[in-house]
Short mmCIF file of all heavy atoms in Angstrom, two decimals:
data_model
loop_
_atom_site.label_atom_id
_atom_site.label_comp_id
_atom_site.label_asym_id
_atom_site.label_seq_id
_atom_site.Cartn_x
_atom_site.Cartn_y
_atom_site.Cartn_z
N MET A 1 0.85 -1.19 0.00
CA MET A 1 0.00 0.00 0.00
C MET A 1 0.88 1.23 0.00
O MET A 1 1.85 1.33 0.75
CB MET A 1 -0.92 -0.01 1.22
CG MET A 1 -1.76 1.26 1.33
SD MET A 1 -2.89 1.24 2.75
CE MET A 1 -4.20 0.22 2.09
N GLY A 2 0.55 2.19 -0.86
CA GLY A 2 1.31 3.43 -0.92
C GLY A 2 0.81 4.43 0.09
O GLY A 2 -0.06 4.15 0.91
N LYS A 3 1.38 5.59 -0.01
CA LYS A 3 0.95 6.65 0.88
C LYS A 3 -0.43 7.12 0.43
O LYS A 3 -0.68 7.37 -0.74
CB LYS A 3 1.95 7.80 0.81
CG LYS A 3 1.64 8.94 1.72
CD LYS A 3 2.83 9.86 1.83
CE LYS A 3 2.57 11.12 2.61
NZ LYS A 3 1.70 11.00 3.74
N LEU A 4 -1.34 7.24 1.35
CA LEU A 4 -2.70 7.66 1.03
C LEU A 4 -2.75 9.18 0.96
O LEU A 4 -2.16 9.87 1.79
CB LEU A 4 -3.66 7.12 2.08
CG LEU A 4 -3.62 5.60 2.27
CD1 LEU A 4 -4.62 5.18 3.33
CD2 LEU A 4 -3.86 4.87 0.96
N CYS A 5 -3.48 9.66 -0.04
CA CYS A 5 -3.49 11.10 -0.29
C CYS A 5 -4.38 11.85 0.70
O CYS A 5 -5.58 11.56 0.84
CB CYS A 5 -3.96 11.39 -1.71
SG CYS A 5 -3.83 13.14 -2.13
N THR A 6 -3.76 12.78 1.37
CA THR A 6 -4.50 13.69 2.26
C THR A 6 -4.09 15.12 1.93
O THR A 6 -4.01 15.97 2.81
CB THR A 6 -4.23 13.36 3.74
OG1 THR A 6 -2.81 13.41 3.97
CG2 THR A 6 -4.75 11.98 4.11
N LEU A 7 -3.83 15.34 0.65
CA LEU A 7 -3.28 16.62 0.21
C LEU A 7 -4.23 17.79 0.39
O LEU A 7 -3.82 18.90 0.65
CB LEU A 7 -2.86 16.50 -1.26
CG LEU A 7 -2.11 17.66 -1.88
CD1 LEU A 7 -0.78 17.87 -1.17
CD2 LEU A 7 -1.89 17.39 -3.35
N CYS A 8 -5.53 17.54 0.26
CA CYS A 8 -6.48 18.66 0.34
C CYS A 8 -7.49 18.41 1.46
O CYS A 8 -7.56 17.32 2.02
CB CYS A 8 -7.18 18.85 -1.01
SG CYS A 8 -8.57 17.75 -1.27
N PRO A 9 -8.32 19.39 1.74
CA PRO A 9 -9.30 19.25 2.83
C PRO A 9 -10.33 18.14 2.62
O PRO A 9 -10.99 17.74 3.58
CB PRO A 9 -9.99 20.63 2.88
CG PRO A 9 -8.98 21.56 2.30
CD PRO A 9 -8.27 20.78 1.23
N ARG A 10 -10.47 17.62 1.40
CA ARG A 10 -11.40 16.51 1.21
C ARG A 10 -10.91 15.26 1.94
O ARG A 10 -11.71 14.40 2.30
CB ARG A 10 -11.58 16.22 -0.28
CG ARG A 10 -12.39 17.29 -0.97
CD ARG A 10 -12.44 17.00 -2.44
NE ARG A 10 -13.43 17.81 -3.12
CZ ARG A 10 -13.34 18.17 -4.38
NH1 ARG A 10 -12.32 17.76 -5.11
NH2 ARG A 10 -14.25 18.91 -4.93
N ASN A 11 -9.59 15.14 2.03
CA ASN A 11 -8.98 14.10 2.86
C ASN A 11 -9.53 12.70 2.54
O ASN A 11 -9.82 11.92 3.45
CB ASN A 11 -9.21 14.44 4.34
CG ASN A 11 -8.22 13.77 5.23
OD1 ASN A 11 -7.10 13.46 4.81
ND2 ASN A 11 -8.61 13.53 6.46
N CYS A 12 -9.65 12.38 1.25
CA CYS A 12 -10.31 11.13 0.86
C CYS A 12 -9.40 9.91 0.98
O CYS A 12 -9.87 8.78 0.87
CB CYS A 12 -10.87 11.25 -0.54
SG CYS A 12 -9.65 11.15 -1.87
N ALA A 13 -8.11 10.12 1.16
CA ALA A 13 -7.16 9.03 1.39
C ALA A 13 -7.10 8.03 0.25
O ALA A 13 -6.92 6.83 0.47
CB ALA A 13 -7.45 8.33 2.71
N ALA A 14 -7.24 8.50 -0.98
CA ALA A 14 -7.09 7.62 -2.14
C ALA A 14 -5.63 7.19 -2.28
O ALA A 14 -4.72 7.96 -2.04
CB ALA A 14 -7.53 8.35 -3.41
N ASP A 15 -5.43 5.95 -2.68
CA ASP A 15 -4.07 5.44 -2.91
C ASP A 15 -3.68 5.76 -4.35
O ASP A 15 -3.60 4.89 -5.21
CB ASP A 15 -4.04 3.94 -2.65
CG ASP A 15 -2.63 3.39 -2.62
OD1 ASP A 15 -1.68 4.15 -2.87
OD2 ASP A 15 -2.49 2.19 -2.34
N ARG A 16 -3.44 7.00 -4.63
CA ARG A 16 -3.20 7.47 -6.00
C ARG A 16 -1.98 6.84 -6.62
O ARG A 16 -1.93 6.64 -7.83
CB ARG A 16 -3.09 9.00 -6.00
CG ARG A 16 -4.42 9.66 -5.66
CD ARG A 16 -4.31 11.14 -5.43
NE ARG A 16 -3.77 11.84 -6.59
CZ ARG A 16 -3.68 13.16 -6.65
NH1 ARG A 16 -4.09 13.91 -5.64
NH2 ARG A 16 -3.18 13.74 -7.72
N ALA A 17 -0.99 6.51 -5.84
CA ALA A 17 0.23 5.90 -6.38
C ALA A 17 -0.02 4.51 -6.94
O ALA A 17 0.79 3.97 -7.67
CB ALA A 17 1.31 5.85 -5.30
N HIS A 18 -1.15 3.92 -6.60
CA HIS A 18 -1.48 2.58 -7.08
C HIS A 18 -2.75 2.59 -7.93
O HIS A 18 -3.52 1.63 -7.93
CB HIS A 18 -1.61 1.61 -5.91
CG HIS A 18 -0.28 1.31 -5.29
ND1 HIS A 18 0.20 2.01 -4.20
CD2 HIS A 18 0.68 0.42 -5.63
CE1 HIS A 18 1.41 1.55 -3.89
NE2 HIS A 18 1.73 0.58 -4.75
N GLY A 19 -3.00 3.70 -8.61
CA GLY A 19 -4.07 3.74 -9.60
C GLY A 19 -5.45 4.09 -9.10
O GLY A 19 -6.40 4.09 -9.88
N ILE A 20 -5.56 4.36 -7.83
CA ILE A 20 -6.87 4.75 -7.31
C ILE A 20 -7.07 6.25 -7.54
O ILE A 20 -6.21 7.05 -7.21
CB ILE A 20 -6.99 4.43 -5.80
CG1 ILE A 20 -6.69 2.96 -5.54
CG2 ILE A 20 -8.36 4.82 -5.27
CD1 ILE A 20 -7.62 1.99 -6.26
N VAL A 21 -8.21 6.58 -8.14
CA VAL A 21 -8.52 7.98 -8.42
C VAL A 21 -9.20 8.59 -7.21
O VAL A 21 -10.12 7.99 -6.62
CB VAL A 21 -9.43 8.08 -9.66
CG1 VAL A 21 -9.85 9.52 -9.92
CG2 VAL A 21 -8.70 7.52 -10.88
N GLY A 22 -8.78 9.78 -6.86
CA GLY A 22 -9.36 10.44 -5.70
C GLY A 22 -10.72 11.06 -5.99
O GLY A 22 -11.19 11.08 -7.13
N VAL A 23 -11.36 11.56 -4.94
CA VAL A 23 -12.64 12.27 -5.09
C VAL A 23 -12.49 13.41 -6.09
O VAL A 23 -13.41 13.75 -6.82
CB VAL A 23 -13.10 12.80 -3.72
CG1 VAL A 23 -14.27 13.77 -3.87
CG2 VAL A 23 -13.47 11.65 -2.81
N CYS A 24 -11.32 13.99 -6.17
CA CYS A 24 -11.04 15.10 -7.08
C CYS A 24 -10.95 14.66 -8.53
O CYS A 24 -10.90 15.48 -9.43
CB CYS A 24 -9.74 15.77 -6.68
SG CYS A 24 -8.33 14.65 -6.69
N GLY A 25 -10.90 13.36 -8.78
CA GLY A 25 -10.79 12.86 -10.14
C GLY A 25 -9.36 12.76 -10.63
O GLY A 25 -9.13 12.47 -11.81
N GLN A 26 -8.40 12.98 -9.76
CA GLN A 26 -7.00 13.00 -10.18
C GLN A 26 -6.31 11.66 -9.92
O GLN A 26 -6.64 10.94 -8.98
CB GLN A 26 -6.24 14.11 -9.46
CG GLN A 26 -6.81 15.49 -9.76
CD GLN A 26 -6.87 15.76 -11.25
OE1 GLN A 26 -5.85 15.74 -11.93
NE2 GLN A 26 -8.06 15.99 -11.77
N THR A 27 -5.36 11.38 -10.78
CA THR A 27 -4.58 10.15 -10.67
C THR A 27 -3.27 10.45 -9.95
O THR A 27 -3.15 11.47 -9.28
CB THR A 27 -4.28 9.59 -12.07
OG1 THR A 27 -3.44 10.52 -12.77
CG2 THR A 27 -5.56 9.38 -12.87
N GLU A 28 -2.27 9.61 -10.16
CA GLU A 28 -0.97 9.84 -9.52
C GLU A 28 -0.20 10.99 -10.15
O GLU A 28 0.78 11.47 -9.58
CB GLU A 28 -0.12 8.57 -9.58
CG GLU A 28 0.28 8.18 -10.98
CD GLU A 28 1.13 6.94 -11.01
OE1 GLU A 28 1.83 6.67 -10.04
OE2 GLU A 28 1.07 6.23 -12.03
N GLU A 29 -0.62 11.44 -11.35
CA GLU A 29 0.07 12.54 -11.99
C GLU A 29 -0.36 13.86 -11.36
O GLU A 29 -1.52 14.05 -11.03
CB GLU A 29 -0.24 12.56 -13.49
CG GLU A 29 0.35 11.39 -14.23
CD GLU A 29 0.18 11.51 -15.72
OE1 GLU A 29 -0.10 12.62 -16.21
OE2 GLU A 29 0.31 10.48 -16.40
N ILE A 30 0.60 14.74 -11.19
CA ILE A 30 0.32 16.04 -10.61
C ILE A 30 0.31 17.06 -11.74
O ILE A 30 1.20 17.08 -12.59
CB ILE A 30 1.38 16.41 -9.56
CG1 ILE A 30 1.25 15.46 -8.37
CG2 ILE A 30 1.24 17.86 -9.12
CD1 ILE A 30 2.32 15.64 -7.32
N LYS A 31 -0.70 17.90 -11.75
CA LYS A 31 -0.81 18.95 -12.77
C LYS A 31 -0.47 20.28 -12.12
O LYS A 31 -1.09 20.67 -11.12
CB LYS A 31 -2.23 19.00 -13.33
CG LYS A 31 -2.62 17.75 -14.06
CD LYS A 31 -4.06 17.83 -14.53
CE LYS A 31 -4.47 16.50 -15.17
NZ LYS A 31 -5.92 16.51 -15.49
N ILE A 32 0.47 20.96 -12.72
CA ILE A 32 0.89 22.27 -12.22
C ILE A 32 0.26 23.35 -13.10
O ILE A 32 0.42 23.33 -14.33
CB ILE A 32 2.43 22.41 -12.26
CG1 ILE A 32 3.09 21.30 -11.45
CG2 ILE A 32 2.85 23.79 -11.77
CD1 ILE A 32 2.81 21.33 -9.98
N ALA A 33 -0.46 24.27 -12.50
CA ALA A 33 -1.06 25.36 -13.26
C ALA A 33 -0.06 26.49 -13.46
O ALA A 33 -0.01 27.12 -14.52
CB ALA A 33 -2.30 25.89 -12.54
N ARG A 34 0.76 26.72 -12.45
CA ARG A 34 1.69 27.84 -12.55
C ARG A 34 2.79 27.67 -11.51
O ARG A 34 2.52 27.30 -10.37
CB ARG A 34 0.95 29.15 -12.29
CG ARG A 34 1.80 30.40 -12.44
CD ARG A 34 0.92 31.64 -12.39
NE ARG A 34 1.68 32.82 -12.77
CZ ARG A 34 2.18 33.69 -11.88
NH1 ARG A 34 1.97 33.52 -10.60
NH2 ARG A 34 2.87 34.73 -12.29
N ALA A 35 3.99 27.95 -11.92
CA ALA A 35 5.13 28.00 -11.00
C ALA A 35 5.89 29.28 -11.32
O ALA A 35 6.24 29.52 -12.48
CB ALA A 35 6.03 26.79 -11.17
N ALA A 36 6.08 30.11 -10.33
CA ALA A 36 6.67 31.42 -10.62
C ALA A 36 7.31 32.02 -9.37
O ALA A 36 7.06 31.58 -8.25
CB ALA A 36 5.59 32.37 -11.13
N LEU A 37 8.08 33.04 -9.61
CA LEU A 37 8.59 33.83 -8.51
C LEU A 37 7.43 34.58 -7.87
O LEU A 37 6.46 34.96 -8.54
CB LEU A 37 9.63 34.83 -9.01
CG LEU A 37 10.91 34.23 -9.58
CD1 LEU A 37 11.80 35.33 -10.15
CD2 LEU A 37 11.65 33.44 -8.51
N HIS A 38 7.54 34.78 -6.57
CA HIS A 38 6.44 35.46 -5.87
C HIS A 38 7.08 36.29 -4.77
O HIS A 38 7.55 35.77 -3.76
CB HIS A 38 5.49 34.40 -5.29
CG HIS A 38 4.26 34.98 -4.70
ND1 HIS A 38 3.26 35.53 -5.45
CD2 HIS A 38 3.86 35.11 -3.41
CE1 HIS A 38 2.29 35.96 -4.66
NE2 HIS A 38 2.64 35.72 -3.41
N ALA A 39 7.08 37.57 -4.99
CA ALA A 39 7.85 38.45 -4.11
C ALA A 39 7.01 39.14 -3.05
O ALA A 39 7.50 40.01 -2.36
CB ALA A 39 8.56 39.51 -4.97
N TRP A 40 5.74 38.75 -2.91
CA TRP A 40 4.88 39.55 -2.06
C TRP A 40 4.42 38.85 -0.79
O TRP A 40 3.44 39.25 -0.18
CB TRP A 40 3.67 40.00 -2.88
CG TRP A 40 4.13 40.70 -4.13
CD1 TRP A 40 4.55 41.99 -4.23
CD2 TRP A 40 4.26 40.12 -5.43
NE1 TRP A 40 4.94 42.26 -5.52
CE2 TRP A 40 4.76 41.13 -6.28
CE3 TRP A 40 4.00 38.86 -5.97
CZ2 TRP A 40 5.01 40.91 -7.63
CZ3 TRP A 40 4.25 38.65 -7.31
CH2 TRP A 40 4.74 39.67 -8.12
N GLU A 41 5.12 37.82 -0.41
CA GLU A 41 4.78 37.17 0.86
C GLU A 41 5.38 37.97 2.02
O GLU A 41 6.18 38.88 1.82
CB GLU A 41 5.32 35.74 0.89
CG GLU A 41 4.61 34.79 -0.04
CD GLU A 41 3.18 34.49 0.39
OE1 GLU A 41 2.79 34.87 1.53
OE2 GLU A 41 2.45 33.92 -0.42
N GLU A 42 5.00 37.59 3.23
CA GLU A 42 5.54 38.26 4.39
C GLU A 42 7.06 38.07 4.41
O GLU A 42 7.56 37.04 3.97
CB GLU A 42 4.94 37.67 5.66
CG GLU A 42 3.47 37.95 5.82
CD GLU A 42 2.59 36.96 5.07
OE1 GLU A 42 3.11 36.11 4.34
OE2 GLU A 42 1.36 37.05 5.21
N PRO A 43 7.78 39.04 4.93
CA PRO A 43 9.25 38.97 4.93
C PRO A 43 9.82 37.70 5.58
O PRO A 43 10.86 37.22 5.15
CB PRO A 43 9.65 40.22 5.72
CG PRO A 43 8.52 41.17 5.49
CD PRO A 43 7.29 40.33 5.43
N CYS A 44 9.13 37.16 6.56
CA CYS A 44 9.67 35.95 7.19
C CYS A 44 9.64 34.77 6.22
O CYS A 44 10.37 33.78 6.40
CB CYS A 44 8.89 35.62 8.46
SG CYS A 44 7.14 35.29 8.18
N ILE A 45 8.83 34.84 5.17
CA ILE A 45 8.80 33.78 4.16
C ILE A 45 9.65 34.14 2.96
O ILE A 45 10.43 33.33 2.46
CB ILE A 45 7.34 33.53 3.69
CG1 ILE A 45 6.49 33.03 4.86
CG2 ILE A 45 7.30 32.55 2.52
CD1 ILE A 45 5.02 32.93 4.56
N SER A 46 9.51 35.37 2.50
CA SER A 46 10.16 35.75 1.24
C SER A 46 11.54 36.36 1.42
O SER A 46 12.28 36.50 0.43
CB SER A 46 9.28 36.73 0.48
OG SER A 46 9.04 37.89 1.25
N GLY A 47 11.89 36.74 2.64
CA GLY A 47 13.21 37.33 2.85
C GLY A 47 13.32 38.63 2.08
O GLY A 47 12.35 39.36 1.90
N THR A 48 14.49 38.91 1.56
CA THR A 48 14.69 40.16 0.82
C THR A 48 14.67 39.96 -0.69
O THR A 48 14.66 40.92 -1.45
CB THR A 48 16.04 40.80 1.20
OG1 THR A 48 17.08 39.86 0.91
CG2 THR A 48 16.06 41.17 2.69
N LYS A 49 14.66 38.71 -1.13
CA LYS A 49 14.73 38.44 -2.57
C LYS A 49 13.48 37.75 -3.11
O LYS A 49 13.46 37.30 -4.25
CB LYS A 49 15.96 37.59 -2.87
CG LYS A 49 17.27 38.29 -2.52
CD LYS A 49 18.45 37.44 -2.85
CE LYS A 49 19.74 38.18 -2.49
NZ LYS A 49 20.93 37.38 -2.74
N GLY A 50 12.45 37.64 -2.30
CA GLY A 50 11.24 37.00 -2.78
C GLY A 50 11.29 35.49 -2.59
O GLY A 50 12.26 34.94 -2.09
N SER A 51 10.21 34.85 -2.96
CA SER A 51 10.13 33.40 -2.83
C SER A 51 9.49 32.84 -4.10
O SER A 51 9.25 33.56 -5.06
CB SER A 51 9.28 33.04 -1.60
OG SER A 51 7.98 33.55 -1.74
N GLY A 52 9.21 31.58 -4.09
CA GLY A 52 8.56 30.96 -5.22
C GLY A 52 7.19 30.45 -4.82
O GLY A 52 6.89 30.30 -3.64
N THR A 53 6.35 30.22 -5.81
CA THR A 53 5.04 29.68 -5.53
C THR A 53 4.66 28.67 -6.62
O THR A 53 5.09 28.81 -7.76
CB THR A 53 3.99 30.82 -5.45
OG1 THR A 53 2.75 30.27 -5.02
CG2 THR A 53 3.80 31.50 -6.78
N VAL A 54 3.94 27.66 -6.23
CA VAL A 54 3.47 26.64 -7.17
C VAL A 54 1.97 26.47 -6.95
O VAL A 54 1.53 26.21 -5.83
CB VAL A 54 4.18 25.29 -6.95
CG1 VAL A 54 3.64 24.24 -7.92
CG2 VAL A 54 5.69 25.44 -7.10
N PHE A 55 1.21 26.64 -8.02
CA PHE A 55 -0.23 26.41 -7.96
C PHE A 55 -0.55 25.09 -8.63
O PHE A 55 -0.16 24.86 -9.77
CB PHE A 55 -0.99 27.55 -8.68
CG PHE A 55 -0.89 28.86 -7.95
CD1 PHE A 55 0.07 29.79 -8.31
CD2 PHE A 55 -1.77 29.16 -6.93
CE1 PHE A 55 0.16 31.00 -7.66
CE2 PHE A 55 -1.69 30.38 -6.26
CZ PHE A 55 -0.71 31.29 -6.62
N PHE A 56 -1.24 24.24 -7.92
CA PHE A 56 -1.66 22.96 -8.48
C PHE A 56 -3.01 23.10 -9.15
O PHE A 56 -3.79 24.00 -8.85
CB PHE A 56 -1.72 21.90 -7.36
CG PHE A 56 -0.38 21.60 -6.78
CD1 PHE A 56 0.08 22.26 -5.65
CD2 PHE A 56 0.45 20.66 -7.37
CE1 PHE A 56 1.32 21.99 -5.11
CE2 PHE A 56 1.70 20.39 -6.85
CZ PHE A 56 2.14 21.05 -5.72
N SER A 57 -3.29 22.21 -10.09
CA SER A 57 -4.52 22.28 -10.85
C SER A 57 -5.12 20.89 -10.99
O SER A 57 -4.45 19.89 -10.78
CB SER A 57 -4.23 22.86 -12.24
OG SER A 57 -5.41 22.96 -12.99
N GLY A 58 -6.39 20.84 -11.36
CA GLY A 58 -6.98 19.57 -11.70
C GLY A 58 -8.14 19.15 -10.82
O GLY A 58 -8.84 18.21 -11.17
N CYS A 59 -8.39 19.83 -9.73
CA CYS A 59 -9.47 19.42 -8.86
C CYS A 59 -10.83 19.60 -9.54
O CYS A 59 -11.06 20.59 -10.21
CB CYS A 59 -9.45 20.23 -7.57
SG CYS A 59 -8.11 19.73 -6.48
N VAL A 60 -11.69 18.65 -9.34
CA VAL A 60 -13.07 18.74 -9.81
C VAL A 60 -13.91 19.24 -8.64
O VAL A 60 -13.87 18.64 -7.57
CB VAL A 60 -13.56 17.37 -10.28
CG1 VAL A 60 -15.02 17.44 -10.68
CG2 VAL A 60 -12.69 16.86 -11.42
N PRO A 61 -14.66 20.33 -8.83
CA PRO A 61 -15.45 20.86 -7.71
C PRO A 61 -16.55 19.89 -7.27
O PRO A 61 -16.98 19.06 -7.98
CB PRO A 61 -16.02 22.14 -8.23
CG PRO A 61 -15.76 22.21 -9.68
CD PRO A 61 -14.79 21.14 -10.02
S1 SF4 B 1 -9.62 14.79 -3.20
FE1 SF4 B 1 -7.74 14.46 -4.41
S2 SF4 B 1 -6.18 15.83 -3.53
FE2 SF4 B 1 -7.89 15.67 -2.07
S3 SF4 B 1 -7.27 14.05 -0.66
FE3 SF4 B 1 -8.50 13.10 -2.26
S4 SF4 B 1 -7.06 12.42 -3.82
FE4 SF4 B 1 -5.99 13.85 -2.48
#
């Protein structure tokens, strides 16, 4: 048994690594909507040079 997915608040615990599709309709593949520099977080996160951000995509409402 692989690690069960608890990535989002739905917490459906699908075994995506072994072909089980989650409530969201997603498989083991991760879809990235956007990855970019993000300079507007609080200083304790972004420091003086900014930080990065990754937005995931693919959830079915
Ligand atoms: S709905 Fe999708 S992302 Fe959320 S816990 Fe289930 S499999 Fe993971």
Side-chain angles (χ1 to χ4, degrees):
M1 176 178 281
K3 182 167 174 36
L4 304 180
C5 186
T6 56
L7 187 63
C8 83
R10 288 176 168 152
N11 202 26
C12 76
D15 191 356
R16 292 171 59 175
H18 289 94
I20 305 300
V21 176
V23 169
C24 58
Q26 299 305 301
T27 65
E28 66 179 332
E29 292 187 17
I30 293 175
K31 296 177 185 174
I32 303 295
R34 183 171 190 259
L37 295 175
H38 187 72
W40 306 280
E41 290 292 349
E42 293 83 355
C44 61
I45 296 172
S46 60
T48 59
K49 297 181 180 178
S51 61
T53 187
V54 178
F55 291 95
F56 294 94
S57 181
C59 287
V60 176

